[in-house]
Amino acid sequence: MSSIKSNISNIEKKINDYCKVSDRNKADVKLIAVTKTVDVDAVNEAIEYGITDVGENKPQELARKYEIIGDRVKWHLIGSLQTNKVKYIIDKVHMIHSIDRLSLCDEIQKRANSIDKQINCLVQVNISKEESKHGILEEDTIDFIKTISNNYPNIKVKGLMTMAPSTEDENLIRSVFKGLRDLANKVDNEKINNVSMEDLSMGMSNDFGIAIEEGATLVRVGTSIFGQRNYNKK
């Protein structure tokens, strides 16, 4: 059996197990295969074995792979997005997971409006307040989302995204994921126009189980599907 096939099967089983433990429906959790540095043949193999959503960190890599693979999958831009790179992915991406500043919203709005498309986006929140991580602060999130709602009609906020600290401390990881879920509930209670909190993008290969237990709907898994990769590779 292909290692990618068996890896996907193992991850799907784990997702199912974590959903059972937390009394959730497995259909409410989507596996996003993260394909940073992964070649197209491996991505196609993953698609063959059931992957429907693919996440890329770099806009130009997403665009390059899209030109070969096309819309056989839904494409997610999960990495930090520079304003001048929006043009590469605006007509290709199913969802952007990393909006965190108004200058980026300006560019997305301009590009999306030019092709008459509403872009699904998640607001990236730096729950852990780590300087090394992107994202807006928890306390600024509601005002930021209200500004988007009032000024950017082509941006549809569908939820929130965060990254947990790189640590073995499961309690700390859980507190970050719980913090994002609690924040989503607060946003939801505001009843902001053109905003929903249906998606929480959190959890990666090493912590997606905890994320599912705390309410993740999108888990971003790369290493556990494709193996260790060289992240210095261009």
Side-chain angles (χ1 to χ4, degrees), residues 183-217:
L183 177 58
N185 289 336
K186 291 177 185 175
V187 175
D188 214 27
N189 289 336
E190 294 283 329
K191 307 298 182 190
I192 306 169
N193 184 50
N194 201 36
V195 169
S196 68
M197 286 290 112
E198 60 193 78
D199 280 319
L200 291 180
S201 173
M202 56 189 193
M204 300 190 291
S205 288
N206 58 331
D207 56 20
F208 70 84
I210 301 172
I212 290 169
E213 291 174 355
E214 294 300 331
T217 65

PDB file of all heavy atoms in Angstrom, residues 183-217:
ATOM      1  N   LEU A 183     -13.450  32.850  21.537  1.00  0.00           N
ATOM      2  CA  LEU A 183     -13.481  34.112  20.790  1.00  0.00           C
ATOM      3  C   LEU A 183     -14.499  34.028  19.652  1.00  0.00           C
ATOM      4  O   LEU A 183     -15.251  34.986  19.404  1.00  0.00           O
ATOM      5  CB  LEU A 183     -12.095  34.428  20.245  1.00  0.00           C
ATOM      6  CG  LEU A 183     -11.969  35.689  19.384  1.00  0.00           C
ATOM      7  CD1 LEU A 183     -12.409  36.934  20.151  1.00  0.00           C
ATOM      8  CD2 LEU A 183     -10.521  35.854  18.898  1.00  0.00           C
ATOM      9  N   ALA A 184     -14.543  32.901  18.971  1.00  0.00           N
ATOM     10  CA  ALA A 184     -15.519  32.721  17.889  1.00  0.00           C
ATOM     11  C   ALA A 184     -16.945  32.859  18.417  1.00  0.00           C
ATOM     12  O   ALA A 184     -17.815  33.448  17.760  1.00  0.00           O
ATOM     13  CB  ALA A 184     -15.325  31.371  17.214  1.00  0.00           C
ATOM     14  N   ASN A 185     -17.190  32.327  19.596  1.00  0.00           N
ATOM     15  CA  ASN A 185     -18.519  32.452  20.200  1.00  0.00           C
ATOM     16  C   ASN A 185     -18.860  33.914  20.493  1.00  0.00           C
ATOM     17  O   ASN A 185     -19.996  34.358  20.293  1.00  0.00           O
ATOM     18  CB  ASN A 185     -18.600  31.627  21.486  1.00  0.00           C
ATOM     19  CG  ASN A 185     -18.615  30.128  21.217  1.00  0.00           C
ATOM     20  OD1 ASN A 185     -19.008  29.688  20.135  1.00  0.00           O
ATOM     21  ND2 ASN A 185     -18.182  29.335  22.190  1.00  0.00           N
ATOM     22  N   LYS A 186     -17.861  34.670  20.941  1.00  0.00           N
ATOM     23  CA  LYS A 186     -18.082  36.101  21.201  1.00  0.00           C
ATOM     24  C   LYS A 186     -18.405  36.847  19.911  1.00  0.00           C
ATOM     25  O   LYS A 186     -19.297  37.695  19.870  1.00  0.00           O
ATOM     26  CB  LYS A 186     -16.843  36.710  21.865  1.00  0.00           C
ATOM     27  CG  LYS A 186     -16.585  36.244  23.287  1.00  0.00           C
ATOM     28  CD  LYS A 186     -15.283  36.849  23.827  1.00  0.00           C
ATOM     29  CE  LYS A 186     -14.942  36.291  25.197  1.00  0.00           C
ATOM     30  NZ  LYS A 186     -13.614  36.780  25.678  1.00  0.00           N
ATOM     31  N   VAL A 187     -17.654  36.531  18.861  1.00  0.00           N
ATOM     32  CA  VAL A 187     -17.913  37.163  17.564  1.00  0.00           C
ATOM     33  C   VAL A 187     -19.320  36.808  17.087  1.00  0.00           C
ATOM     34  O   VAL A 187     -20.073  37.671  16.613  1.00  0.00           O
ATOM     35  CB  VAL A 187     -16.865  36.734  16.512  1.00  0.00           C
ATOM     36  CG1 VAL A 187     -17.221  37.297  15.137  1.00  0.00           C
ATOM     37  CG2 VAL A 187     -15.463  37.178  16.920  1.00  0.00           C
ATOM     38  N   ASP A 188     -19.662  35.544  17.211  1.00  0.00           N
ATOM     39  CA  ASP A 188     -20.977  35.075  16.786  1.00  0.00           C
ATOM     40  C   ASP A 188     -22.095  35.843  17.488  1.00  0.00           C
ATOM     41  O   ASP A 188     -23.107  36.202  16.870  1.00  0.00           O
ATOM     42  CB  ASP A 188     -21.096  33.580  17.075  1.00  0.00           C
ATOM     43  CG  ASP A 188     -21.929  32.848  16.040  1.00  0.00           C
ATOM     44  OD1 ASP A 188     -22.001  33.308  14.891  1.00  0.00           O
ATOM     45  OD2 ASP A 188     -22.520  31.821  16.394  1.00  0.00           O
ATOM     46  N   ASN A 189     -21.901  36.086  18.759  1.00  0.00           N
ATOM     47  CA  ASN A 189     -22.919  36.785  19.546  1.00  0.00           C
ATOM     48  C   ASN A 189     -23.119  38.234  19.108  1.00  0.00           C
ATOM     49  O   ASN A 189     -24.145  38.848  19.406  1.00  0.00           O
ATOM     50  CB  ASN A 189     -22.561  36.750  21.034  1.00  0.00           C
ATOM     51  CG  ASN A 189     -22.729  35.365  21.633  1.00  0.00           C
ATOM     52  OD1 ASN A 189     -23.502  34.545  21.116  1.00  0.00           O
ATOM     53  ND2 ASN A 189     -22.014  35.085  22.712  1.00  0.00           N
ATOM     54  N   GLU A 190     -22.134  38.782  18.383  1.00  0.00           N
ATOM     55  CA  GLU A 190     -22.242  40.160  17.903  1.00  0.00           C
ATOM     56  C   GLU A 190     -23.181  40.290  16.695  1.00  0.00           C
ATOM     57  O   GLU A 190     -23.588  41.398  16.348  1.00  0.00           O
ATOM     58  CB  GLU A 190     -20.855  40.700  17.527  1.00  0.00           C
ATOM     59  CG  GLU A 190     -19.899  40.843  18.698  1.00  0.00           C
ATOM     60  CD  GLU A 190     -20.189  42.063  19.554  1.00  0.00           C
ATOM     61  OE1 GLU A 190     -20.680  43.078  18.998  1.00  0.00           O
ATOM     62  OE2 GLU A 190     -19.924  41.996  20.767  1.00  0.00           O
ATOM     63  N   LYS A 191     -23.489  39.151  16.053  1.00  0.00           N
ATOM     64  CA  LYS A 191     -24.397  39.137  14.887  1.00  0.00           C
ATOM     65  C   LYS A 191     -23.966  40.159  13.819  1.00  0.00           C
ATOM     66  O   LYS A 191     -24.729  41.019  13.398  1.00  0.00           O
ATOM     67  CB  LYS A 191     -25.842  39.425  15.310  1.00  0.00           C
ATOM     68  CG  LYS A 191     -26.374  38.547  16.421  1.00  0.00           C
ATOM     69  CD  LYS A 191     -26.411  37.084  16.023  1.00  0.00           C
ATOM     70  CE  LYS A 191     -27.007  36.238  17.148  1.00  0.00           C
ATOM     71  NZ  LYS A 191     -26.843  34.786  16.900  1.00  0.00           N
ATOM     72  N   ILE A 192     -22.719  40.043  13.397  1.00  0.00           N
ATOM     73  CA  ILE A 192     -22.154  40.996  12.441  1.00  0.00           C
ATOM     74  C   ILE A 192     -22.558  40.611  11.023  1.00  0.00           C
ATOM     75  O   ILE A 192     -22.473  39.440  10.632  1.00  0.00           O
ATOM     76  CB  ILE A 192     -20.612  41.038  12.570  1.00  0.00           C
ATOM     77  CG1 ILE A 192     -20.210  41.324  14.033  1.00  0.00           C
ATOM     78  CG2 ILE A 192     -20.009  42.096  11.653  1.00  0.00           C
ATOM     79  CD1 ILE A 192     -18.726  41.111  14.315  1.00  0.00           C
ATOM     80  N   ASN A 193     -22.975  41.583  10.251  1.00  0.00           N
ATOM     81  CA  ASN A 193     -23.444  41.343   8.885  1.00  0.00           C
ATOM     82  C   ASN A 193     -22.354  40.723   8.003  1.00  0.00           C
ATOM     83  O   ASN A 193     -21.199  41.147   8.029  1.00  0.00           O
ATOM     84  CB  ASN A 193     -23.905  42.668   8.263  1.00  0.00           C
ATOM     85  CG  ASN A 193     -24.494  42.470   6.883  1.00  0.00           C
ATOM     86  OD1 ASN A 193     -25.363  41.624   6.679  1.00  0.00           O
ATOM     87  ND2 ASN A 193     -24.010  43.248   5.924  1.00  0.00           N
ATOM     88  N   ASN A 194     -22.744  39.712   7.213  1.00  0.00           N
ATOM     89  CA  ASN A 194     -21.852  39.041   6.254  1.00  0.00           C
ATOM     90  C   ASN A 194     -20.698  38.308   6.937  1.00  0.00           C
ATOM     91  O   ASN A 194     -19.656  38.057   6.335  1.00  0.00           O
ATOM     92  CB  ASN A 194     -21.288  40.038   5.226  1.00  0.00           C
ATOM     93  CG  ASN A 194     -20.805  39.344   3.961  1.00  0.00           C
ATOM     94  OD1 ASN A 194     -21.403  38.364   3.512  1.00  0.00           O
ATOM     95  ND2 ASN A 194     -19.718  39.826   3.387  1.00  0.00           N
ATOM     96  N   VAL A 195     -20.899  37.967   8.224  1.00  0.00           N
ATOM     97  CA  VAL A 195     -19.868  37.265   8.995  1.00  0.00           C
ATOM     98  C   VAL A 195     -20.485  36.024   9.640  1.00  0.00           C
ATOM     99  O   VAL A 195     -21.580  36.093  10.211  1.00  0.00           O
ATOM    100  CB  VAL A 195     -19.291  38.180  10.102  1.00  0.00           C
ATOM    101  CG1 VAL A 195     -18.414  37.385  11.072  1.00  0.00           C
ATOM    102  CG2 VAL A 195     -18.489  39.313   9.479  1.00  0.00           C
ATOM    103  N   SER A 196     -19.795  34.908   9.523  1.00  0.00           N
ATOM    104  CA  SER A 196     -20.210  33.697  10.237  1.00  0.00           C
ATOM    105  C   SER A 196     -18.984  33.101  10.919  1.00  0.00           C
ATOM    106  O   SER A 196     -17.852  33.398  10.551  1.00  0.00           O
ATOM    107  CB  SER A 196     -20.826  32.673   9.279  1.00  0.00           C
ATOM    108  OG  SER A 196     -19.844  32.158   8.396  1.00  0.00           O
ATOM    109  N   MET A 197     -19.230  32.294  11.915  1.00  0.00           N
ATOM    110  CA  MET A 197     -18.141  31.638  12.630  1.00  0.00           C
ATOM    111  C   MET A 197     -18.248  30.121  12.456  1.00  0.00           C
ATOM    112  O   MET A 197     -18.094  29.354  13.390  1.00  0.00           O
ATOM    113  CB  MET A 197     -18.185  32.024  14.113  1.00  0.00           C
ATOM    114  CG  MET A 197     -17.727  33.445  14.394  1.00  0.00           C
ATOM    115  SD  MET A 197     -15.939  33.709  14.151  1.00  0.00           S
ATOM    116  CE  MET A 197     -15.961  34.798  12.716  1.00  0.00           C
ATOM    117  N   GLU A 198     -18.517  29.720  11.216  1.00  0.00           N
ATOM    118  CA  GLU A 198     -18.719  28.294  10.976  1.00  0.00           C
ATOM    119  C   GLU A 198     -17.411  27.507  10.932  1.00  0.00           C
ATOM    120  O   GLU A 198     -17.422  26.293  11.122  1.00  0.00           O
ATOM    121  CB  GLU A 198     -19.502  28.075   9.690  1.00  0.00           C
ATOM    122  CG  GLU A 198     -18.858  28.620   8.431  1.00  0.00           C
ATOM    123  CD  GLU A 198     -19.821  28.647   7.255  1.00  0.00           C
ATOM    124  OE1 GLU A 198     -20.664  29.549   7.205  1.00  0.00           O
ATOM    125  OE2 GLU A 198     -19.712  27.750   6.392  1.00  0.00           O
ATOM    126  N   ASP A 199     -16.282  28.189  10.694  1.00  0.00           N
ATOM    127  CA  ASP A 199     -15.018  27.460  10.584  1.00  0.00           C
ATOM    128  C   ASP A 199     -13.987  27.927  11.598  1.00  0.00           C
ATOM    129  O   ASP A 199     -13.771  29.133  11.786  1.00  0.00           O
ATOM    130  CB  ASP A 199     -14.434  27.603   9.179  1.00  0.00           C
ATOM    131  CG  ASP A 199     -15.097  26.665   8.191  1.00  0.00           C
ATOM    132  OD1 ASP A 199     -15.360  25.501   8.573  1.00  0.00           O
ATOM    133  OD2 ASP A 199     -15.363  27.061   7.049  1.00  0.00           O
ATOM    134  N   LEU A 200     -13.349  26.957  12.222  1.00  0.00           N
ATOM    135  CA  LEU A 200     -12.179  27.192  13.074  1.00  0.00           C
ATOM    136  C   LEU A 200     -11.036  26.378  12.488  1.00  0.00           C
ATOM    137  O   LEU A 200     -11.074  25.147  12.496  1.00  0.00           O
ATOM    138  CB  LEU A 200     -12.442  26.762  14.521  1.00  0.00           C
ATOM    139  CG  LEU A 200     -13.436  27.604  15.325  1.00  0.00           C
ATOM    140  CD1 LEU A 200     -13.573  27.035  16.742  1.00  0.00           C
ATOM    141  CD2 LEU A 200     -13.015  29.060  15.389  1.00  0.00           C
ATOM    142  N   SER A 201     -10.039  27.072  11.949  1.00  0.00           N
ATOM    143  CA  SER A 201      -8.874  26.417  11.354  1.00  0.00           C
ATOM    144  C   SER A 201      -7.777  26.368  12.403  1.00  0.00           C
ATOM    145  O   SER A 201      -7.145  27.382  12.717  1.00  0.00           O
ATOM    146  CB  SER A 201      -8.420  27.195  10.114  1.00  0.00           C
ATOM    147  OG  SER A 201      -7.204  26.682   9.613  1.00  0.00           O
ATOM    148  N   MET A 202      -7.579  25.188  12.973  1.00  0.00           N
ATOM    149  CA  MET A 202      -6.551  25.036  14.012  1.00  0.00           C
ATOM    150  C   MET A 202      -6.197  23.564  14.138  1.00  0.00           C
ATOM    151  O   MET A 202      -7.018  22.691  13.908  1.00  0.00           O
ATOM    152  CB  MET A 202      -7.036  25.604  15.349  1.00  0.00           C
ATOM    153  CG  MET A 202      -8.331  25.033  15.890  1.00  0.00           C
ATOM    154  SD  MET A 202      -8.907  25.969  17.339  1.00  0.00           S
ATOM    155  CE  MET A 202     -10.186  24.856  17.973  1.00  0.00           C
ATOM    156  N   GLY A 203      -4.930  23.332  14.463  1.00  0.00           N
ATOM    157  CA  GLY A 203      -4.448  21.967  14.589  1.00  0.00           C
ATOM    158  C   GLY A 203      -3.651  21.534  13.386  1.00  0.00           C
ATOM    159  O   GLY A 203      -4.082  21.726  12.235  1.00  0.00           O
ATOM    160  N   MET A 204      -2.455  20.980  13.674  1.00  0.00           N
ATOM    161  CA  MET A 204      -1.587  20.458  12.616  1.00  0.00           C
ATOM    162  C   MET A 204      -1.209  19.018  12.972  1.00  0.00           C
ATOM    163  O   MET A 204      -1.845  18.405  13.836  1.00  0.00           O
ATOM    164  CB  MET A 204      -0.381  21.373  12.442  1.00  0.00           C
ATOM    165  CG  MET A 204      -0.780  22.796  12.053  1.00  0.00           C
ATOM    166  SD  MET A 204       0.600  23.876  11.546  1.00  0.00           S
ATOM    167  CE  MET A 204       1.465  24.082  13.078  1.00  0.00           C
ATOM    168  N   SER A 205      -0.195  18.479  12.316  1.00  0.00           N
ATOM    169  CA  SER A 205       0.116  17.058  12.479  1.00  0.00           C
ATOM    170  C   SER A 205       0.279  16.651  13.941  1.00  0.00           C
ATOM    171  O   SER A 205      -0.168  15.576  14.354  1.00  0.00           O
ATOM    172  CB  SER A 205       1.395  16.708  11.706  1.00  0.00           C
ATOM    173  OG  SER A 205       1.180  16.717  10.318  1.00  0.00           O
ATOM    174  N   ASN A 206       0.914  17.517  14.734  1.00  0.00           N
ATOM    175  CA  ASN A 206       1.247  17.115  16.099  1.00  0.00           C
ATOM    176  C   ASN A 206       0.160  17.432  17.120  1.00  0.00           C
ATOM    177  O   ASN A 206       0.247  16.987  18.265  1.00  0.00           O
ATOM    178  CB  ASN A 206       2.556  17.798  16.543  1.00  0.00           C
ATOM    179  CG  ASN A 206       2.466  19.310  16.472  1.00  0.00           C
ATOM    180  OD1 ASN A 206       1.732  19.843  15.654  1.00  0.00           O
ATOM    181  ND2 ASN A 206       3.214  20.002  17.308  1.00  0.00           N
ATOM    182  N   ASP A 207      -0.873  18.192  16.728  1.00  0.00           N
ATOM    183  CA  ASP A 207      -1.849  18.596  17.752  1.00  0.00           C
ATOM    184  C   ASP A 207      -3.291  18.645  17.240  1.00  0.00           C
ATOM    185  O   ASP A 207      -4.158  19.216  17.900  1.00  0.00           O
ATOM    186  CB  ASP A 207      -1.459  19.954  18.352  1.00  0.00           C
ATOM    187  CG  ASP A 207      -1.294  21.059  17.317  1.00  0.00           C
ATOM    188  OD1 ASP A 207      -1.820  20.915  16.202  1.00  0.00           O
ATOM    189  OD2 ASP A 207      -0.637  22.075  17.631  1.00  0.00           O
ATOM    190  N   PHE A 208      -3.564  18.029  16.082  1.00  0.00           N
ATOM    191  CA  PHE A 208      -4.917  18.169  15.537  1.00  0.00           C
ATOM    192  C   PHE A 208      -5.967  17.454  16.391  1.00  0.00           C
ATOM    193  O   PHE A 208      -7.146  17.828  16.371  1.00  0.00           O
ATOM    194  CB  PHE A 208      -4.993  17.709  14.071  1.00  0.00           C
ATOM    195  CG  PHE A 208      -4.843  16.229  13.831  1.00  0.00           C
ATOM    196  CD1 PHE A 208      -5.935  15.377  13.938  1.00  0.00           C
ATOM    197  CD2 PHE A 208      -3.623  15.690  13.463  1.00  0.00           C
ATOM    198  CE1 PHE A 208      -5.807  14.015  13.694  1.00  0.00           C
ATOM    199  CE2 PHE A 208      -3.484  14.335  13.218  1.00  0.00           C
ATOM    200  CZ  PHE A 208      -4.582  13.485  13.342  1.00  0.00           C
ATOM    201  N   GLY A 209      -5.555  16.461  17.161  1.00  0.00           N
ATOM    202  CA  GLY A 209      -6.502  15.773  18.045  1.00  0.00           C
ATOM    203  C   GLY A 209      -7.055  16.706  19.107  1.00  0.00           C
ATOM    204  O   GLY A 209      -8.275  16.750  19.354  1.00  0.00           O
ATOM    205  N   ILE A 210      -6.160  17.447  19.733  1.00  0.00           N
ATOM    206  CA  ILE A 210      -6.590  18.425  20.741  1.00  0.00           C
ATOM    207  C   ILE A 210      -7.465  19.484  20.084  1.00  0.00           C
ATOM    208  O   ILE A 210      -8.484  19.909  20.644  1.00  0.00           O
ATOM    209  CB  ILE A 210      -5.367  19.088  21.414  1.00  0.00           C
ATOM    210  CG1 ILE A 210      -4.481  18.039  22.086  1.00  0.00           C
ATOM    211  CG2 ILE A 210      -5.799  20.131  22.436  1.00  0.00           C
ATOM    212  CD1 ILE A 210      -3.160  18.585  22.602  1.00  0.00           C
ATOM    213  N   ALA A 211      -7.083  19.909  18.882  1.00  0.00           N
ATOM    214  CA  ALA A 211      -7.857  20.924  18.167  1.00  0.00           C
ATOM    215  C   ALA A 211      -9.284  20.453  17.902  1.00  0.00           C
ATOM    216  O   ALA A 211     -10.246  21.212  18.078  1.00  0.00           O
ATOM    217  CB  ALA A 211      -7.161  21.284  16.862  1.00  0.00           C
ATOM    218  N   ILE A 212      -9.428  19.204  17.483  1.00  0.00           N
ATOM    219  CA  ILE A 212     -10.757  18.653  17.221  1.00  0.00           C
ATOM    220  C   ILE A 212     -11.582  18.629  18.509  1.00  0.00           C
ATOM    221  O   ILE A 212     -12.766  19.007  18.518  1.00  0.00           O
ATOM    222  CB  ILE A 212     -10.656  17.252  16.602  1.00  0.00           C
ATOM    223  CG1 ILE A 212     -10.123  17.354  15.169  1.00  0.00           C
ATOM    224  CG2 ILE A 212     -12.011  16.539  16.625  1.00  0.00           C
ATOM    225  CD1 ILE A 212      -9.744  16.024  14.545  1.00  0.00           C
ATOM    226  N   GLU A 213     -10.967  18.215  19.591  1.00  0.00           N
ATOM    227  CA  GLU A 213     -11.673  18.194  20.875  1.00  0.00           C
ATOM    228  C   GLU A 213     -12.134  19.586  21.292  1.00  0.00           C
ATOM    229  O   GLU A 213     -13.131  19.730  22.008  1.00  0.00           O
ATOM    230  CB  GLU A 213     -10.772  17.595  21.955  1.00  0.00           C
ATOM    231  CG  GLU A 213     -10.514  16.111  21.778  1.00  0.00           C
ATOM    232  CD  GLU A 213      -9.512  15.553  22.770  1.00  0.00           C
ATOM    233  OE1 GLU A 213      -8.934  16.331  23.552  1.00  0.00           O
ATOM    234  OE2 GLU A 213      -9.307  14.319  22.765  1.00  0.00           O
ATOM    235  N   GLU A 214     -11.420  20.613  20.824  1.00  0.00           N
ATOM    236  CA  GLU A 214     -11.772  21.992  21.198  1.00  0.00           C
ATOM    237  C   GLU A 214     -12.576  22.717  20.118  1.00  0.00           C
ATOM    238  O   GLU A 214     -12.792  23.917  20.210  1.00  0.00           O
ATOM    239  CB  GLU A 214     -10.503  22.777  21.529  1.00  0.00           C
ATOM    240  CG  GLU A 214      -9.774  22.273  22.767  1.00  0.00           C
ATOM    241  CD  GLU A 214     -10.628  22.330  24.028  1.00  0.00           C
ATOM    242  OE1 GLU A 214     -11.520  23.190  24.116  1.00  0.00           O
ATOM    243  OE2 GLU A 214     -10.403  21.491  24.937  1.00  0.00           O
ATOM    244  N   GLY A 215     -12.992  21.989  19.056  1.00  0.00           N
ATOM    245  CA  GLY A 215     -13.926  22.579  18.112  1.00  0.00           C
ATOM    246  C   GLY A 215     -13.427  22.871  16.713  1.00  0.00           C
ATOM    247  O   GLY A 215     -14.138  23.500  15.918  1.00  0.00           O
ATOM    248  N   ALA A 216     -12.223  22.430  16.363  1.00  0.00           N
ATOM    249  CA  ALA A 216     -11.710  22.677  15.009  1.00  0.00           C
ATOM    250  C   ALA A 216     -12.650  22.092  13.962  1.00  0.00           C
ATOM    251  O   ALA A 216     -13.167  20.980  14.122  1.00  0.00           O
ATOM    252  CB  ALA A 216     -10.323  22.079  14.849  1.00  0.00           C
ATOM    253  N   THR A 217     -12.853  22.839  12.877  1.00  0.00           N
ATOM    254  CA  THR A 217     -13.575  22.305  11.719  1.00  0.00           C
ATOM    255  C   THR A 217     -12.633  22.068  10.542  1.00  0.00           C
ATOM    256  O   THR A 217     -12.975  21.335   9.618  1.00  0.00           O
ATOM    257  CB  THR A 217     -14.695  23.259  11.265  1.00  0.00           C
ATOM    258  OG1 THR A 217     -14.112  24.477  10.792  1.00  0.00           O
ATOM    259  CG2 THR A 217     -15.661  23.559  12.408  1.00  0.00           C
TER     260      THR A 217
END
